[in-house]
Amino acid sequence: MVVKGRIVWVSGPAVKADGMSAAKMYETVEVGDSKLIGEVIRLTGDIAFIQVYESTSGLKPGEPVVGTGQPLSVLLGPGIIGRIYDGIQRPLDEIAQKSGAFIGRGIQTTPVDMKKKFHFVPSMKKGDVVGPGSILGVVDETQLLKHSILVPPYHAKDAKLVDIVAEGDYDLEQVIATSEKDGVKVPLKMYHKWPVRKPRPYAERYDPTVPLVTGQRVIDTYFPIAKGGTGAIPGGFGTGKTVTMHQIAKWADSKVVVYIGCGERGNEMTEVLVEFPHLIDPRSGRPLMERTVLVANTSNMPVAAREASIYTGVTMAEYYRDMGFDVVLVADSTSRWAEALREMSGRLEEMPAEEGYPSYLASRLAEFYERAGRVRALGSPDRAGSVTLVGAVSPSGADFTEPVTTHTIRFIKTFWALDTRLAYSRHYPSINWMQSYSGYLEDVSKWWKENVSPEWYELRSESYHILQREDTLKEIVRLLGPEALPDEEKLVLEVARMIKIGILQQNSFDKVDTYCGPEKQVKLVKLMVKFFKEAQKALKSEVSLTEIRAMPIITQLLKAKFEIPEEQLQKLQDLDKELDEQFRKLSAGGSKTEEVKVVA
Amino acid sequence: MPETTAGIEYTKVAEIKGPLMVIDGITKASFDELVEIETSEGERRLGKVLEVGFGKAVVQVFEGTTGLTITGTKAKFLGKTMEMPVSQELLGRVFDGLGRPNDGLPDPIADKFLDVNGEPMNPERREYPTSFIQTGVSVIDGMLTLVRGQKLPIFSGSGMPHNILAAQIARQAAVVGTKEDFAVVFAAIGVQYSEAQYFKRSLEESGALRRSVLFLNLADDPAIERIITPRVALTVAEYLAYDLGMHVLAILTDMTNYAEALREISAAREEVPGRKGYPGYLYTDLANNYERAGRIKGKDGSVTQVPILSMPADDITHPIPDLTGYITEGQIVLGRDLFRKGVYPPVNVLMSLSRLMKDGVGEGKTRSDHMEVGNQLYDLYSRAQEVRALAEIVGRAGLTGTDLKYLDAGDMFENYFLKQAADENRNLEETLGRAWEVLSTLPEGELTKIKDKHVKQYYKGSK
């Protein structure tokens, strides 16, 4: 039965309609004469409270509200990759074709081109048993991605495939297979729909143990995130949240990237659209856009659709996970999503908790981050996929004690704290190494040991220890000046400076430095640690700190990150020899040169 | 709107509170609709519908509710949202905060009427901004490059020369090597008469006034009108840019007054407040203004925004600068210390940032060493500041040779690079030349952010 009601009240994105007693919670409705899309978020008697995903300017009481009977859903099938959608999966290029450079209202679109033909290669045959998640066959969605055609999760278990088409070109509306159970025949197409607020089911959950390699040294080496894990990047404005998010989206070793621009700048989405088709994935050699989906609900687009954009994005991510892929979802920024919640909550006149946020903020955040994970997908063949969730947080006043940050921290395991002070001194990425942490460190160390270097864990600890010591010594320097420290401790400061410049700082805009592979990361750290140990030895054998500071190898070590590209890593070996050689000369020189005191 | 509500007049005022008026017995009214109010004395005011339903409409009165009465007040619902008449004739004109002429001249002939709220620009149709604008101000051109279509605010504090800087940018801004149509749209939002006059005079003296459109809501004008002032200004800016193909520089001053007007309405509506009493939707509302900057694929014009806001008590974490910084593409922060030292422009470079600089400079756009020089200057000044702090404890004598060089380079940076006259227009060559002179006082080995070939080409110091 189609629900038909009338608008009785309008205030911003919130609308009340009566005659809605048959409506369901979270049902999608068409609001007003211009058929704006909305969602029922509260029912009282026959009055429904609706959040509208488009501007309500000009809407008036008396206009109709028509139910669709469906909850807010996304269409899942080939053709999603490479597209840019708004918060409710409407393609922005199609909207632009219909309404020009500015986004109009009430525009009807389809999420993917239903007429586009894909070359379908069946992997099942007549008579096979099918159930939720079974792979019927594959199509090439992009050159980079073999898209598995999945039987929908809501399909009956243990059905029988009574028909499946031969290899060939089919569009999305064509029936490619038919299943039967207990005499009920179900036609299957290359797509299905799924309600965004409901996590897609899986067979079993695994522990995340494989790191997501992002090519960012401070992340991979010091605060790693695992595939299927969760992480948050809080930071004040100007600390480089968006650049860090872009870096993860560009270089993470996942098969699919879902990038959600949630209440952020329009130009940032344009930047991704302009840049990604030209950036080449270091592993596949194909443009990054061939593995990326964008969901853009910029800050000036309707606030209710911003709330939905997170769910739209994560549902698409889960869909690709179910094919057995590793998927990364970056959401920039979850604070704007929380603000959308707050705004709707305010209009619902709910009792607010901290700073006006609704009391269910924490549980909503928890539900979102719980949709991350590494899982065994439903159906056959057996396959594991993962969704890694990374959320940017924009704390007001860069204050990490505000509600969105404090609640987010409870549900994530990797915390990359961006530091305004580091950003002011142009230390990028401005991830504060004392405040940040990773709950996956132990979990992923096995992978590093087996795949990159057996010493990884020790090297990481030793270099991190130098940074920790520097942090303590800094206090003394602040009070008494550096000259108050003994040489041994001054050396700690010197090497910490080297680690900061040579390892932690990474220039996203430099062609070489933007991506640093695991092997290079370990080798760079190893060189720094080695320098420290050699310098300690030299100090003990009467070499002065001034001599050590004057060693040319230091500049070479600091520049190695951008001077030595991935394909010339043997040059790091040369650097290693050079290091040995310079220390040998130093100690052989024997005669201690006078320490030069500069008099002002 | 298929069914028009135009011209329906209501007389049943239920309540008047703060800037709001609640009207009863409403049969037809739409959200956001424009309302013309006639007081019992026959005075006309404008308002718009904030909320409608159950026979009631909540109307926000732009000119304030002073003098309104429960009986005898008429409200006419005009059946449309607030619109601004636009045409080329707007250039050279002065309007009030609601977009009505206040220069004594008649209404300009309208080419069309545009909804002042605008519509969100489709990110898919945006053209990514990459054209360098030379402002003639060294610190901006060299380190905080402004790019066409960017939104780059000035964060200031009371008494600091943000207006002088904005006026200098407006006078001098040019894209090198091109002679294109430009226009200035200036919106005064609750500023003092003298500030608006300064700006107007400055445009007049440079001959730019006839290419400018001014919107003036002064400190003694109705506060609620301020909600509309940036909107009408940006509507005109968008028209000039995307319909007439002009490069528009939009200056909005002072956005703090705008946010305060928003808070006043929110308080009157008894909404749950966010931080410091500002409404929870302050971010979205500010974004609806700031995001109206940029370029569109296939169109010639652009809107570049320089909003100015004064940070209450110089506090950058205050919600207004804070939320602004999250939306805009960088910020130019004026510093009280430099201002006290007499440095103009007193730009605190370490807190300032231009997010689009990387895309507007370099080979083929400005000069291949531009970005590196900018980064090295940041590094230099950041180190100099650290050394200054240290010198205060241990004295100059306790510093090493390199530290001393940084100390002096920091002073030279402030006095030779940063400091310039308010009417001094330096081209990019001169700006970068001065930058290299400052950098050349450091040992060559300190220039770790600059490629060797550029060091070889431009460095003038000793090893």
Side-chain angles (χ1 to χ4, degrees):
Chain A
M1 192 191 80
V2 179
V3 180
K4 272 192 181 161
R6 299 221 149 253
I7 297 176
V8 290
W9 179 85
V10 190
S11 173
V15 166
K16 284 180 195 168
D18 67 5
M20 299 290 287
S21 53
K24 287 178 270 188
M25 267 304 263
Y26 294 110
E27 179 176 346
T28 313
V29 290
E30 288 175 350
V31 180
D33 295 319
S34 44
K35 297 191 174 175
L36 309 178
I37 301 169
E39 188 183 23
V40 176
I41 53 173
R42 180 192 280 178
L43 288 164
T44 318
D46 74 338
I47 289 190
F49 207 111
I50 299 158
Q51 63 173 347
V52 182
Y53 292 130
E54 301 178 71
S55 164
T56 53
S57 187
L59 207 62
K60 60 180 178 296
E63 289 188 46
V65 173
V66 181
T68 63
Q70 298 294 320
L72 184 68
S73 303
V74 288
L75 187 152
L76 301 166
I80 292 174
I81 297 285
R83 297 296 292 272
I84 175 166
Y85 294 107
D86 75 353
I88 48 172
Q89 215 201 9
R90 291 184 302 180
L92 286 176
D93 48 355
E94 207 179 317
I95 291 180
Q97 275 161 26
K98 290 183 176 162
S99 77
F102 294 90
I103 297 173
R105 293 186 293 155
I107 296 167
Q108 311 289 326
T109 60
T110 48
V112 294
D113 182 356
M114 304 304 275
K115 290 278 157 260
K116 187 178 173 190
K117 289 202 188 301
F118 287 94
H119 190 76
F120 174 73
V121 182
S123 54
M124 289 187 125
K125 56 183 191 307
K126 231 192 237 179
D128 281 353
V129 174
V130 290
S134 301
I135 296 179
L136 293 171
V138 291
V139 301
D140 285 324
E141 184 169 5
T142 66
Q143 291 203 39
L144 210 68
L145 197 91
K146 287 227 178 291
H147 185 121
S148 303
I149 304 299
L150 302 177
V151 173
Y154 47 77
H155 189 277
K157 281 180 194 163
D158 304 321
K160 204 171 168 190
L161 203 61
V162 292
D163 192 22
I164 186 162
V165 293
E167 182 177 341
D169 295 342
Y170 302 94
D171 69 33
L172 265 62
E173 287 295 11
Q174 281 173 293
V175 173
I176 51 153
T178 311
S179 70
E180 187 182 332
K181 192 181 180 184
D182 307 329
V184 183
K185 284 194 179 179
V186 178
L188 297 167
K189 297 178 181 177
M190 288 204 279
Y191 74 92
H192 61 269
K193 289 190 172 180
W194 188 262
V196 296
R197 295 185 193 278
K198 192 173 166 189
R200 284 173 65 87
Y202 48 83
E204 187 189 351
R205 217 160 149 155
Y206 298 128
D207 280 336
T209 51
V210 179
L212 180 82
V213 176
T214 64
Q216 310 304 303
R217 290 181 291 268
V218 60
I219 293 180
D220 295 350
T221 298
Y222 293 98
F223 310 105
I225 184 166
K227 283 181 176 141
T230 49
I233 308 182
F237 65 83
T239 51
K241 273 185 310 298
T242 300
V243 177
T244 311
M245 298 298 257
H246 277 198
Q247 287 300 97
I248 293 173
K250 281 176 193 169
W251 308 123
D253 63 338
S254 66
K255 194 79 181 170
V256 174
V257 172
V258 179
Y259 192 108
I260 306 175
C262 175
E264 289 292 303
R265 305 176 184 90
N267 274 333
E268 279 167 7
M269 300 314 290
T270 312
E271 187 180 2
V272 176
L273 279 177
V274 171
E275 202 180 5
F276 275 34
H278 302 290
L279 285 175
I280 301 299
D281 179 18
R283 290 163 208 93
S284 65
R286 298 291 310 166
L288 285 176
M289 207 60 207
E290 290 187 12
R291 66 164 200 183
T292 310
V293 189
L294 299 175
V295 179
N297 217 90
T298 57
S299 54
N300 55 341
M301 282 157 78
V303 69
R306 196 194 292 170
E307 193 264 337
S309 65
I310 292 272
Y311 299 104
T312 297
V314 75
T315 308
M316 294 197 280
E318 286 173 340
Y319 174 61
Y320 284 97
R321 171 202 72 189
D322 290 347
M323 295 176 204
F325 296 141
D326 292 317
V327 185
V328 171
L329 179 142
V330 290
D332 184 12
S333 148
T334 57
S335 293
R336 305 304 163 216
W337 167 78
E339 280 172 11
L341 275 187
R342 173 167 73 181
E343 186 168 345
M344 288 318 296
S345 166
R347 307 231 186 226
L348 284 166
E349 293 173 353
E350 292 171 338
M351 182 66 88
E354 309 126 284
E355 290 192 16
Y357 286 104
S359 51
Y360 45 80
L361 171 67
S363 58
R364 292 285 169 88
L365 279 167
E367 282 164 23
F368 168 65
Y369 283 109
E370 266 312 286
R371 289 177 79 165
R374 198 163 148 262
V375 303
R376 181 162 65 80
L378 288 177
S380 62
D382 240 12
R383 59 201 185 269
S386 68
V387 172
T388 310
L389 292 183
V390 178
V393 184
S394 316
S396 39
D399 170 14
F400 288 2
T401 64
E402 60 89 43
V404 184
T405 316
T406 48
H407 288 309
T408 301
I409 292 173
R410 292 162 56 196
F411 311 117
I412 48 108
K413 281 185 84 175
T414 309
F415 182 67
W416 298 295
L418 299 185
D419 187 331
T420 313
R421 281 212 319 271
L422 288 175
Y424 285 167
S425 62
R426 265 50 185 182
H427 174 115
Y428 287 121
S430 65
I431 295 175
N432 181 306
W433 51 92
M434 287 294 126
Q435 267 179 295
S436 304
Y437 58 79
S438 165
Y440 301 107
L441 194 58
E442 310 294 328
D443 303 328
V444 303
S445 68
K446 186 160 170 269
W447 181 92
W448 278 89
K449 281 178 193 164
E450 284 168 7
N451 293 280
V452 188
S453 162
E455 305 162 286
W456 181 76
Y457 194 81
E458 286 70 38
L459 288 172
R460 187 225 174 250
S461 307
E462 282 175 69
S463 54
Y464 192 62
H465 185 60
I466 296 170
L467 293 169
Q468 281 174 315
R469 283 186 66 191
E470 188 240 10
D471 196 57
T472 333
L473 293 175
K474 254 186 355 203
E475 289 305 311
I476 302 171
V477 174
R478 212 167 280 150
L479 294 173
L480 304 169
E483 293 306 315
L485 298 177
D487 278 359
E488 150 75 354
E489 289 183 338
K490 277 189 226 159
L491 178 68
V492 174
L493 295 186
E494 177 66 19
V495 180
R497 187 184 74 93
M498 289 168 62
I499 294 173
K500 281 190 266 180
I501 298 175
I503 309 278
L504 299 179
Q505 290 184 14
Q506 191 165 353
N507 185 352
S508 333
F509 307 121
D510 182 87
K511 263 192 194 133
V512 173
D513 203 21
T514 184
Y515 174 81
C516 185
E519 202 188 330
K520 185 171 162 189
Q521 295 192 25
V522 172
K523 287 189 166 156
L524 283 174
V525 175
K526 192 172 176 179
L527 282 168
M528 296 289 180
V529 171
K530 185 169 177 181
F531 177 88
F532 182 58
K533 287 182 180 164
E534 291 296 326
Q536 274 181 321
K537 267 192 250 164
L539 272 185
K540 281 190 188 122
S541 63
E542 303 283 290
V543 177
S544 78
L545 187 65
T546 313
E547 283 172 296
I548 294 173
R549 275 187 182 147
M551 288 172 78
I553 188 74
I554 294 180
T555 323
Q556 286 170 287
L557 288 177
L558 296 186
K559 287 189 167 178
K561 61 177 181 178
F562 57 83
E563 292 286 4
I564 301 176
E566 288 294 312
E567 54 284 359
Q568 295 172 20
L569 290 188
Q570 73 281 2
K571 283 195 179 164
L572 287 169
Q573 243 78 34
D574 305 341
L575 216 55
D576 186 63
K577 278 187 209 132
E578 180 67 29
L579 192 150
D580 286 337
E581 180 61 22
Q582 287 189 21
F583 271 108
R584 199 188 53 75
K585 272 193 201 151
L586 257 196
S587 38
S591 67
K592 192 181 169 188
T593 44
E594 274 305 300
E595 189 158 341
V596 191
K597 277 259 181 210
V598 181
V599 184
Chain B
M1 253 174 268
E3 206 183 342
T4 176
T5 56
I8 301 181
E9 202 170 85
Y10 299 92
T11 50
K12 229 171 136 188
V13 178
E15 192 181 358
I16 303 171
K17 54 173 176 179
L20 306 179
M21 194 168 96
V22 183
I23 302 166
D24 248 349
I26 298 285
T27 50
K28 286 216 165 55
S30 59
F31 174 65
D32 228 12
E33 186 173 346
L34 195 62
V35 182
E36 194 179 78
I37 297 144
E38 197 184 321
T39 67
S40 43
E41 276 105 49
E43 186 201 337
R44 281 170 201 279
R45 297 183 191 180
L46 284 176
K48 79 167 186 176
V49 177
L50 292 182
E51 185 179 319
V52 57
F54 304 112
K56 274 186 187 175
V58 178
V59 175
Q60 158 194 325
V61 185
F62 294 129
E63 290 96 331
T65 48
T66 313
L68 289 185
T69 48
I70 293 277
T71 50
T73 301
K74 289 182 224 160
K76 197 157 127 192
F77 284 63
L78 301 179
K80 58 175 189 184
T81 53
M82 184 144 181
E83 289 173 333
M84 175 74 198
V86 290
S87 76
Q88 184 141 21
E89 288 184 31
L90 264 54
L91 290 170
R93 298 290 306 268
V94 183
F95 299 89
D96 72 359
L98 289 176
R100 298 173 297 207
N102 88 349
D103 49 7
L105 298 170
D107 282 357
I109 295 164
D111 175 31
K112 54 176 159 180
F113 291 82
L114 295 175
D115 184 343
V116 298
N117 293 308
E119 279 176 329
M121 204 190 279
N122 191 327
E124 203 265 339
R125 281 296 160 96
R126 276 182 185 266
E127 176 89 46
Y128 195 68
T130 53
S131 327
F132 165 72
I133 299 177
Q134 181 178 299
T135 64
V137 180
S138 284
V139 64
I140 297 179
D141 293 349
M143 304 173 75
L144 299 162
T145 302
L146 183 63
V147 177
R148 242 178 205 169
Q150 185 174 12
K151 38 192 179 293
L152 188 63
I154 299 175
F155 288 7
S156 185
S158 41
M160 287 204 274
H162 44 266
N163 286 322
I164 301 178
L165 181 60
Q168 189 176 8
I169 295 172
R171 283 194 314 268
Q172 299 180 173
V175 171
V176 182
T178 53
K179 188 129 189 80
E180 285 166 317
D181 240 359
F182 78 95
V184 176
V185 171
F186 175 76
I189 307 161
V191 300
Q192 294 167 31
Y193 174 78
S194 58
E195 290 182 61
Q197 275 307 309
Y198 170 81
F199 211 91
K200 192 177 165 190
R201 214 170 41 242
S202 157
L203 287 171
E204 210 161 20
E205 280 162 12
S206 68
L209 192 61
R210 61 194 170 78
R211 305 212 51 86
S212 308
V213 189
L214 276 63
F215 294 89
L216 306 180
N217 168 285
L218 301 179
D220 57 351
D221 285 333
I224 303 310
E225 203 178 285
R226 284 165 206 164
I227 303 288
I228 293 299
T229 311
R231 290 185 165 83
V232 284
L234 291 167
T235 302
V236 170
E238 283 177 342
Y239 170 77
L240 295 175
Y242 309 130
D243 282 43
L244 303 184
M246 295 180 181
H247 292 291
V248 183
L249 178 69
I251 295 174
L252 315 170
T253 177
D254 171 332
M255 289 303 282
T256 300
N257 296 331
Y258 170 83
E260 277 168 1
L262 208 62
R263 176 165 69 177
E264 197 179 326
I265 293 167
S266 174
R269 294 184 72 188
E270 292 165 19
E271 289 171 337
V272 178
R275 282 178 74 219
K276 294 209 174 177
Y278 290 95
Y281 49 81
L282 179 61
Y283 175 85
T284 304
D285 192 281
L286 286 173
N288 278 321
N289 290 302
Y290 295 143
E291 277 287 322
R292 295 174 79 175
R295 309 196 60 169
I296 295 178
K297 276 183 202 165
K299 303 220 179 194
D300 293 330
S302 63
V303 177
T304 308
Q305 252 192 55
V306 178
I308 297 169
L309 56 89
S310 48
M311 299 181 279
D314 291 353
D315 175 13
I316 199 169
T317 67
H318 184 281
I320 301 168
D322 187 52
L323 296 178
T324 299
Y326 276 119
I327 305 162
T328 53
E329 284 140 354
Q331 67 277 341
I332 296 171
V333 183
L334 302 190
R336 191 67 68 180
D337 287 351
L338 287 164
F339 175 60
R340 286 199 186 113
K341 273 192 195 173
V343 176
Y344 172 86
V347 176
N348 180 333
V349 291
L350 298 183
M351 292 174 97
S352 303
L353 171 75
S354 166
R355 289 169 195 268
L356 301 184
M357 177 173 179
K358 64 180 169 56
D359 306 293
V361 303
E363 191 89 65
K365 290 169 186 157
T366 55
R367 216 168 81 175
S368 56
D369 61 325
H370 193 159
M371 193 74 210
E372 294 167 17
V373 168
N375 285 337
Q376 193 70 60
L377 282 176
Y378 274 119
D379 194 71
L380 176 152
Y381 195 58
S382 158
R383 286 278 294 276
Q385 294 287 64
E386 278 171 34
V387 177
R388 273 182 189 170
L390 192 61
E392 273 169 28
I393 302 158
V394 298
R396 270 182 90 95
L399 300 175
T400 64
T402 314
D403 281 353
L404 280 173
K405 289 209 161 125
Y406 271 105
L407 200 61
D408 295 339
D411 290 341
M412 184 173 173
F413 171 83
E414 284 175 7
N415 295 317
Y416 187 68
F417 181 82
L418 182 57
K419 192 174 184 172
Q420 73 182 80
D423 56 358
E424 186 181 355
N425 192 350
R426 294 184 191 157
N427 65 28
L428 185 69
E429 280 301 313
E430 184 180 351
T431 290
L432 292 179
R434 281 176 185 253
W436 273 105
E437 280 181 63
V438 176
L439 293 176
S440 295
T441 62
L442 293 178
E444 194 180 329
E446 291 295 316
L447 306 186
T448 51
K449 310 222 167 199
I450 302 182
K451 292 209 176 80
D452 287 343
K453 65 169 185 182
H454 294 135
V455 175
K456 212 169 273 171
Q457 195 177 347
Y458 298 108
Y459 182 73
K460 298 185 212 74
S462 53
K463 297 225 165 184

